Amino acid sequence: MLYIKCPHCGLRSQNEFAYGGDASVKRPELNKEISDQEWDEFVYLRKSPRGKHLELWHHVSGCRQWIKVLRDTSTHEIFNTYKSEEKVG
Amino acid sequence: MVQSYRLDKIGLVNREKKLSFKFNGKKYFGYEGDTLASALIANGVHLVGRSFKYHRPRGFFGAGVDEPYAIVQLYRNGETEPNVRATEQELFEGLEAKSVNCWPSVNFDIGAINNFLNIFLPAGFYYKTFMWPRSFWYRIYEPFIRKAAGFGVASKEHDKERYEHKYEYCDLLIAGSGPSGLASAYAAAKNGARVILAEDKPRFGGSLLTSDVSINNQSGKEWADNIITELKGMTNVTVKNRAQIFGYYDHNMLVMSERVTDHLPKSEEFTPKQRLWYIRAKQVVISSGSIERPIVFGNNDTPGVVLASAAKEYMKVYGVLVGKKPIVFTNNDSAYETAIEFKKNNINPIVLDSRQDSNSEIIKEAKSLGIDIKFSHVVVAAKGYKKVKSCDIAEISEDKQNLNQIKNIECDCICVSGFWTPTIHLASQSGGKTKFKEEIDAFVPDKSKQKEVTLGSANGVFTLEETLKTSFDKGFELSKEITNNNNSQQIPKVSEKKHSKHDKFWCVPLPKGKKYKRFLDFQNDVAVSDIELAIREGYRSIEHVKRYTTLGMATDQGKTSNLNGLQLVSNIENKVVPAVGHTTFRPPYTPISIGAIVGREIGKHSKPTRKSPMHNWHKKNNAVFVDAGVWLRPRYYKRGNEGLFEASKREAENVRKNVGVCDVTTLGKIDIKGPNAAEFLNRVYTNAWLKLPVGKARYGVMLREDGIVMDDGTTTRISEHHYHMTTTTAQAANVLSHLEYYLQLVWPELDVNVVSTTEQWAGAAIAGPKSRDLLQKLFSDTDVSNEGLPFMGFVEANLFGVNARIFRISFSGELAYEVNVESDNGNFMWEKIIEIGKDFDLQPYGTEALSTLRIEMGHVAGSELDGRTIPYDTGLDGLVSKKKDFIGKRSLLKKAYNEKDRQRLVGVVPLDKKTSIPEGSHLVKDPKGKLPNPKLGHISASCWSVEHNNPFSLAILKDGKNMIGSKLYAMSPLKNKTIAVEIVSSHYVDPKGERVRS
């Protein structure tokens, strides 16, 4: 079970969180005309990298904040965690 | 009965307390502190089971967790448990156990015929034998395999025992209480670290219990006892025996199984049988020791062949002799301790040492005691069927290829030692790599992957002096990093005998013309010949060889067999062992009971049960409950002999005729506040929300980004910047997460807050033509007329001194209201409604009537909004705004979503107006059509229409709009029903929606 440092609450066990997928996905702006392909990529296509991955976790049984976690998908090493509005990098 | 193999003056068992027990129906005696194994051996019982494949007789091989043979069916306190290792099961008064894998008895086992048919059971026999003909699989092969598989029988009774889970945190978790565990625990604890020390056996001390050493002029055991006593007295230390750390998971989470009462005749009330600990440790010390590995020789599975270290443990810990004419067969010095122990107890062992010579301290001692030592000698084969009676021994050539002067000597046990294999399971489970250490011919942990360190013999260090030194140092160093304290301990003075180098020899060659079976894996009956066959057949990867031959796949997971298997593969392939590699170590290290894994999460405890504040009223009034997600809801209120059908029909009819009340507390409720709340709702829902006035409710549908309907419900504008959203019971949690996602990540610029208020409000739906009259009596100072509170109106009102909210919304299609009060007042509200409702023939109704009412209205719910439908499929076209953008809108432009013959919501009535259509039935044109019969749609929900007094269903049907009036068939192969049906409009009652506005 992973040990995730919630930037709001501190280190908490994985069972307090829900996984939210790739954090780099950006929703197209409202009312913007975009191609079918662009939209499909946003809705369906996700990278599944082996290695570093910036992902979303939702602290559902805690502060209910969505946070960003930079994690290695093969070793589970967590390099850093960020608040939702924080710039990563 | 006399314990004829019990020694008088040695051992740690309590001779004051005699215990009686039964094995295979026969009564024996042992002592408190015995294991089932030691007690049986004390009574001269060596035949305990039959092997898995060939049903060969099985005895005892080890004295602990590594035991591959002595697996029994245990009976305790009216319950039975399979797969119990007799070497680990502590004796208690009245224990009963039976042999497994034998019929009709362990002494005469029909299955042993496999032993003589063994050419039919070679490596991979599952794959070769049961392949064809295919039709034999279910009738013949599968029942055969099932009957043959496994050790013992799982109970079919409910397990009455209690199991618990515990979460714990510590600075240092130490796995194993041998010298390295005790030393590191002591050093760390004295330096202020929070320490958990776990020992899987009942006694602490590990090898110190049996080794002939002294520490600070005390015996190893005395030193260990003193350290443990001191540790137990420290508040920063938790010491646990009978506790096996069996899994090393991510981020230093380890799981430990504590056998709390397995050693007692029964568990006391409220005491768990076992407790599973989830421990998050800052640092882990793996001091799991090492396991002696055997030397492979002919018939090496005969009862009476035991590990030399086990023979020593049976003497020194239990005061029990494994035999009175022992052969000690070794390739190293450690087995001499066993020989010396025999000698000290007036038993004369013969030592066969595969080495040409050795003159270390311990061998000198053995010689001085007059022990018969034969160098360059090996055991060729054990003789005897149910117990060793003699063995063939021989002189072996320097190159270990040739056997000379084979002769038979009498013996009753063979104590074998092929040197030591570090227990690296936990280190490997942590993700770390292993490396092969040439000096000890075994793998040890390489670089640590997580925050862990492996010490002592688990790390391939076999001298006590070095073990204690590194362990004291490590314990101090690790604790210093955590506590910043600087209290180091003096490393004690050690006296131990120096050992000379072991011999790489591990497998005795077959004498010319002999075909003895030489076993590697004792539990799965994998012999040298099986591995050879697998390699001849082309298996190369050790992982493939393992699975094909089942080497190391039994419940002992190859603790005594894996390394010899690797040796064999590497010999055949002319590779070195590290080039062959080893199979992956996976948790659990040792079998863990299902009960411990499940813990308290059984039956009603497997998920929370949520009850509305009116629950007790429902219970008192004969409600029959149904699980709705985690909620318990009344399904119907039983009167007299009514069943579900009669009761729900009566309740639904009464709503259509008079008035009913339904507990709707379970609906999800979300409070939405902020200056941008309207804009937010406008983006979340498919319809327009900017112009909803204060005091009005609106029905809304929300989509996922892929255009599929996520949820529906009404949202009411309480005040300018304050909305009250309702969700379906099932989706409440998902909708809240969905809203939080968009507010926190996608549109953080919107100034809106959301919070769940599901539990803050109790809700009652009052529905039926008389509902307004009832409402007026409940809220005498509020105008609830059609003008004062119009359809979709909202008002705050006073219910006999209690604040209430009234929403004029309808799920039933009748004139209806939902009243909410604070949860604490829920029961008060409910009883008032029931009391005053009497004048209006009010009846409470449950979820079944609620469904009936909504289905015949054509009002969609979870069975239509099933995660596969878009708004157009479910008749919600009118709610999809053409003007504004919203979540999921872009997906609705998809070609497939706009096909002309796209599926649509329709109503379905059976032609005979009598036969109810099973939910899930498929709609087809031709009931006798060729398979696969094209499916046009499916029945999503069915009810008995109280309005029309005949069955009515909703369906999602291809090109549904144009199918109204056509005749199809509803087929349910599950219920074996084919029903001729007519497709009608989904609005079966009040299609113009006049009643809700009346």
Side-chain angles (χ1 to χ4, degrees):
Chain A
M1 202 179 340
L2 306 186
Y3 210 24
I4 301 170
K5 189 178 174 184
C6 171
H8 307 279
C9 312
L11 275 167
R12 299 299 172 95
S13 269
Q14 184 185 340
N15 50 2
E16 293 188 10
F17 294 85
Y19 182 64
D22 187 352
S24 65
V25 175
K26 209 172 161 3
R27 190 192 192 278
E29 276 170 43
L30 288 168
N31 300 307
K32 193 182 155 196
E33 291 239 343
I34 60 168
S35 67
D36 285 352
Q37 195 188 335
E38 274 175 277
W39 181 255
D40 285 349
E41 278 173 14
F42 157 66
V43 175
Y44 298 108
L45 291 189
R46 296 291 181 273
K47 286 192 198 107
S48 183
R50 185 178 196 277
K52 273 194 182 181
H53 188 225
L54 186 68
E55 54 202 23
L56 294 170
W57 288 78
H58 191 198
H59 198 184
V60 280
S61 300
C63 62
R64 296 211 58 96
Q65 294 299 300
W66 287 86
I67 62 167
K68 293 176 195 167
V69 176
L70 189 61
R71 182 180 68 106
D72 189 305
T73 56
S74 68
T75 65
H76 293 310
E77 185 181 353
I78 291 175
F79 305 99
N80 211 343
T81 57
Y82 309 86
K83 293 178 183 173
S84 63
E85 72 274 13
E86 245 176 293
K87 272 253 184 298
V88 177
Chain B
M1 194 177 174
V2 187
Q3 298 178 42
S4 51
Y5 287 80
R6 185 76 73 175
L7 295 162
D8 288 338
K9 287 174 188 139
I10 181 175
L12 308 175
V13 294
N14 177 10
R15 285 167 208 255
E16 306 294 309
K17 195 154 180 201
K18 214 170 173 185
L19 301 173
S20 74
F21 67 102
K22 271 188 186 168
F23 183 66
N24 286 334
K26 201 170 163 189
K27 195 168 177 183
Y28 300 95
F29 290 97
Y31 295 119
E32 188 182 71
D34 262 325
T35 60
L36 175 58
S38 67
L40 283 170
I41 297 172
N43 285 283
V45 178
H46 277 265
L47 179 62
V48 284
R50 292 279 174 161
S51 75
F52 184 61
K53 208 159 91 179
Y54 301 126
H55 290 247
R56 287 164 71 108
R58 285 291 180 250
F60 303 96
F61 193 63
V65 67
D66 50 325
E67 177 61 36
Y69 293 157
I71 287 169
V72 298
Q73 183 88 22
L74 187 77
Y75 300 84
R76 171 182 179 267
N77 192 23
E79 306 219 328
T80 178
E81 190 179 343
N83 206 1
V84 172
R85 282 174 301 281
T87 52
E88 289 198 292
Q89 177 60 50
E90 292 169 66
L91 201 65
F92 52 79
E93 177 60 36
L95 180 150
E96 280 189 53
K98 279 185 186 159
S99 298
V100 296
N101 217 29
C102 54
W103 185 84
S105 80
V106 69
N107 257 310
F108 177 74
D109 174 18
I110 297 250
I113 199 163
N114 286 356
N115 191 25
F116 304 103
L117 299 176
N118 66 39
I119 56 163
F120 299 117
L121 295 169
F125 74 100
Y126 301 103
Y127 311 111
K128 289 166 178 159
T129 313
F130 302 119
M131 293 299 287
W132 61 84
R134 235 185 120 164
S135 60
F136 272 33
W137 179 252
Y138 287 111
R139 282 187 297 117
I140 296 168
Y141 294 151
E142 195 192 331
F144 171 77
I145 293 173
R146 283 198 186 283
K147 192 153 178 281
F151 293 97
V153 185
S155 171
K156 284 180 180 165
E157 303 293 309
H158 174 72
D159 188 347
K160 292 189 287 290
E161 294 285 351
R162 184 185 177 98
Y163 300 86
E164 283 178 359
H165 286 179
K166 183 177 167 69
Y167 288 80
E168 194 54 272
Y169 297 81
C170 66
D171 295 332
L172 249 76
L173 174 63
I174 294 164
S177 74
S180 50
L182 288 176
S184 51
Y186 189 73
K190 283 284 189 183
N191 201 28
R194 287 183 308 152
V195 172
I196 297 176
L197 174 64
E199 168 57 48
D200 72 319
K201 291 200 164 187
R203 296 175 184 83
F204 296 96
S207 64
L208 293 175
L209 292 176
T210 56
S211 57
D212 188 14
V213 295
S214 81
I215 306 173
N216 281 351
N217 297 321
Q218 304 165 5
S219 75
K221 185 181 175 299
E222 281 164 358
W223 182 79
D225 287 348
N226 290 337
I227 293 275
I228 282 292
T229 307
E230 197 170 337
L231 287 174
K232 278 182 175 168
M234 295 173 75
T235 51
N236 56 329
V237 182
T238 303
V239 174
K240 284 281 164 194
N241 58 343
R242 305 186 176 97
Q244 177 77 61
I245 295 175
F246 65 81
Y248 198 137
Y249 299 90
D250 294 305
H251 297 180
N252 264 28
M253 159 75 82
L254 290 94
V255 186
M256 173 170 94
S257 157
E258 182 191 1
R259 302 182 304 278
V260 185
T261 59
D262 280 351
H263 62 295
L264 301 173
K266 62 176 195 177
S267 314
E268 276 173 41
E269 209 183 358
F270 306 122
T271 305
K273 184 171 192 280
Q274 294 174 1
R275 186 182 286 130
L276 210 63
W277 294 54
Y278 293 89
I279 304 170
R280 187 83 69 176
K282 286 193 184 132
Q283 290 283 353
V284 175
V285 171
I286 299 168
S287 46
S288 46
S290 51
I291 291 174
E292 196 165 31
R293 59 180 180 263
I295 300 176
V296 180
F297 56 87
N299 298 329
N300 55 339
D301 63 329
T302 312
V305 178
V306 297
L307 289 170
S309 58
K312 184 176 70 172
E313 188 170 338
Y314 283 120
M315 284 186 276
K316 293 192 87 166
V317 175
Y318 304 102
V320 166
L321 286 170
V322 293
K324 293 178 180 174
K325 279 184 216 157
I327 300 267
V328 176
F329 176 26
T330 183
N331 69 358
N332 68 87
D333 279 3
S334 70
Y336 283 84
E337 290 187 14
T338 308
I340 290 168
E341 198 58 44
F342 272 121
K343 189 75 188 175
K344 282 183 183 166
N345 288 291
N346 301 317
I347 302 286
N348 284 318
I350 300 170
V351 179
L352 306 182
D353 193 324
S354 69
R355 298 174 294 183
Q356 285 178 293
D357 197 11
S358 172
N359 217 1
S360 64
E361 228 179 311
I362 193 163
I363 289 169
K364 279 180 193 156
E365 184 186 341
K367 280 178 181 167
S368 72
L369 286 168
I371 293 173
D372 183 0
I373 303 170
K374 296 181 195 300
F375 286 105
S376 293
H377 269 75
V378 297
V379 174
V380 177
K383 302 279 171 166
Y385 184 55
K386 288 174 192 168
K387 178 78 199 289
V388 173
K389 289 196 172 105
S390 68
C391 65
D392 284 353
I393 68 166
E395 196 178 75
I396 192 158
S397 61
E398 200 181 334
D399 64 1
K400 311 287 191 215
Q401 300 296 314
N402 299 304
L403 302 168
N404 301 313
Q405 300 174 346
I406 298 179
K407 64 174 179 182
N408 187 267
I409 57 171
E410 214 180 302
C411 64
D412 63 356
C413 69
I414 300 170
C415 307
V416 62
S417 175
F419 209 48
W420 294 83
T421 308
T423 305
I424 58 171
H425 297 64
L426 287 177
S428 181
Q429 285 173 21
S430 85
K433 293 255 183 294
T434 59
K435 64 183 175 203
F436 193 74
K437 198 169 173 185
E438 287 290 340
E439 309 96 88
I440 61 164
D441 281 322
F443 288 94
V444 292
D446 203 349
K447 252 196 209 143
S448 304
K449 181 67 182 288
Q450 301 195 38
K451 290 193 171 160
E452 104 266 357
V453 57
T454 305
L455 298 173
S457 68
N459 196 31
V461 176
F462 293 127
T463 66
L464 183 62
E465 190 175 3
E466 195 188 336
T467 291
L468 287 185
K469 189 187 173 321
T470 49
S471 303
F472 267 98
D473 286 350
K474 258 298 174 227
F476 170 68
E477 185 190 311
L478 293 174
S479 59
K480 192 182 168 189
E481 280 169 26
I482 297 166
T483 64
N484 283 322
N485 293 343
N486 214 358
N487 303 320
S488 65
Q489 302 301 307
Q490 180 107 42
I491 296 166
K493 280 208 173 61
V494 171
S495 146
E496 64 184 317
K497 295 191 183 78
K498 297 264 178 311
H499 286 188
S500 57
K501 178 105 179 65
H502 77 286
D503 188 0
K504 280 185 184 299
F505 178 72
W506 63 277
C507 181
V508 180
L510 283 178
K512 276 196 189 93
K514 297 288 183 187
K515 283 189 172 173
Y516 300 127
K517 280 232 170 260
R518 292 171 297 168
F519 285 97
L520 292 165
D521 183 315
F522 300 107
Q523 197 175 107
N524 269 355
D525 285 5
V526 181
V528 170
S529 54
D530 293 313
I531 303 285
E532 288 170 346
L533 178 66
I535 289 173
R536 278 206 304 281
E537 291 182 353
Y539 290 88
R540 287 295 175 269
S541 153
I542 187 67
E543 297 278 5
H544 292 162
V545 171
K546 166 184 169 176
R547 281 158 184 81
Y548 190 60
T549 62
T550 71
L551 173 78
M553 284 173 66
T555 59
D556 66 338
Q557 290 281 291
K559 290 183 180 67
T560 51
S561 64
N562 279 341
L563 210 60
N564 282 338
L566 295 180
Q567 287 277 14
L568 179 59
V569 174
S570 64
N571 282 12
I572 299 170
E573 298 242 285
N574 273 326
K575 285 181 186 165
V576 288
V577 172
V580 174
H582 57 74
T583 53
T584 313
F585 295 98
R586 292 192 181 84
Y589 170 68
T590 188
I592 302 301
S593 70
I594 298 282
I597 293 167
V598 175
R600 296 289 294 145
E601 292 169 29
I602 49 166
K604 277 281 167 198
H605 296 294
S606 58
K607 55 182 169 61
T609 301
R610 297 175 78 178
K611 296 172 184 170
S612 94
M614 290 85 96
H615 184 82
N616 286 342
W617 188 94
H618 303 321
K619 223 170 135 185
K620 259 185 261 163
N621 288 274
N622 299 324
V624 176
F625 290 94
V626 60
D627 288 315
V630 294
W631 290 92
L632 270 184
R633 297 190 72 178
R635 193 173 185 188
Y636 61 95
Y637 299 84
K638 193 179 169 76
R639 285 188 183 177
N641 294 326
E642 280 178 346
L644 168 68
F645 179 77
E646 294 81 22
S648 62
K649 188 161 168 269
R650 165 180 55 73
E651 291 169 9
E653 276 169 354
N654 193 58
V655 171
R656 295 264 182 254
K657 205 170 109 203
N658 298 308
V659 59
V661 62
C662 180
D663 186 346
V664 292
T665 303
T666 63
L667 281 185
K669 303 170 204 79
I670 299 170
D671 229 33
I672 302 175
K673 280 185 178 172
N676 303 122
E679 173 62 25
F680 180 54
L681 289 171
N682 208 42
R683 295 178 188 185
V684 168
Y685 282 127
T686 60
N687 48 343
W689 283 80
L690 295 179
K691 289 177 184 159
L692 180 73
V694 172
K696 277 281 195 182
R698 184 165 284 175
Y699 175 71
V701 172
M702 61 179 80
L703 309 184
R704 312 190 306 219
E705 290 288 15
D706 63 0
I708 301 289
V709 177
M710 180 173 182
D711 198 41
D712 68 339
T714 57
T715 294
T716 305
R717 194 167 198 173
I718 306 288
S719 66
E720 181 67 15
H721 297 318
H722 181 192
Y723 292 80
H724 172 83
M725 174 185 274
T726 65
T727 74
T728 57
T729 302
Q731 290 291 330
N734 289 344
V735 169
L736 184 65
S737 289
H738 178 76
L739 300 182
E740 286 166 336
Y741 175 89
Y742 282 93
L743 283 174
Q744 292 172 27
L745 293 162
V746 184
W747 302 310
E749 69 277 10
L750 292 183
D751 189 358
V752 179
N753 274 300
V754 293
V755 67
S756 167
T757 54
T758 301
E759 300 199 341
Q760 274 63 38
W761 297 100
I766 300 172
K770 296 182 185 169
S771 57
R772 182 180 292 127
D773 300 338
L774 169 58
L775 207 68
Q776 194 62 73
K777 279 213 160 177
L778 289 167
F779 300 95
S780 50
D781 48 7
T782 303
D783 177 11
V784 296
S785 68
N786 205 18
E787 294 72 36
L789 183 57
F791 181 54
M792 298 309 267
F794 159 77
V795 67
E796 286 179 313
N798 171 4
L799 176 75
F800 300 99
V802 163
N803 290 329
R805 288 172 168 184
I806 312 172
F807 306 86
R808 185 170 163 192
I809 52 179
S810 175
F811 193 54
S812 56
E814 294 299 325
L815 171 66
Y817 303 85
E818 272 179 38
V819 182
N820 282 5
V821 294
E822 285 169 30
S823 289
D824 287 352
N825 297 324
N827 204 52
F828 172 82
M829 164 184 73
W830 188 265
E831 287 185 345
K832 276 285 171 209
I833 294 170
I834 296 289
E835 177 196 325
I836 295 172
K838 276 186 191 141
D839 299 343
F840 304 94
D841 300 312
L842 173 120
Q843 290 179 20
Y845 62 102
T847 56
E848 199 67 22
L850 186 76
S851 289
T852 294
L853 296 166
R854 76 96 186 164
I855 292 168
E856 63 176 1
M857 271 299 298
H859 198 135
V860 288
S863 48
E864 289 76 37
L865 310 179
D866 61 356
R868 296 181 296 180
T869 49
I870 56 170
Y872 308 150
D873 301 345
T874 47
L876 301 170
D877 313 42
L879 284 159
V880 178
S881 167
K882 294 275 183 299
K883 288 178 197 151
K884 56 138 198 177
D885 200 0
F886 53 85
I887 294 167
K889 184 176 191 184
R890 182 63 180 75
S891 289
L892 296 180
L893 298 178
K894 265 189 223 179
K895 191 161 164 275
Y897 287 180
N898 294 282
E899 297 284 1
K900 274 205 178 110
D901 61 353
R902 177 80 196 174
Q903 57 181 4
R904 297 283 171 173
L905 180 73
V906 293
V908 179
V909 178
L911 290 186
D912 67 0
K913 301 268 173 113
K914 275 185 211 145
T915 315
S916 285
I917 310 168
E919 290 175 350
S921 298
H922 282 193
L923 291 167
V924 299
K925 248 193 194 121
D926 176 6
K928 290 182 181 133
K930 223 179 116 193
L931 296 174
N933 201 343
K935 170 199 160 190
L936 302 176
H938 73 276
I939 301 292
S940 60
S942 290
C943 72
W944 184 272
S945 167
V946 290
E947 182 93 357
H948 296 273
N949 207 22
N950 58 255
F952 175 74
S953 297
L954 292 175
I956 308 282
L957 177 64
K958 192 174 178 185
D959 198 16
K961 261 189 187 165
N962 297 316
M963 296 292 279
I964 307 272
S966 52
K967 311 256 189 306
L968 293 174
Y969 291 88
M971 294 185 74
S972 172
L974 278 179
K975 301 264 162 97
N976 200 18
K977 272 189 176 176
T978 300
I979 302 159
V981 298
E982 184 183 356
I983 306 303
V984 298
S985 160
S986 57
H987 301 291
Y988 205 41
V989 171
D990 189 23
K992 286 184 187 154
E994 285 163 349
R995 296 182 194 175
V996 295
R997 292 182 174 77
S998 63

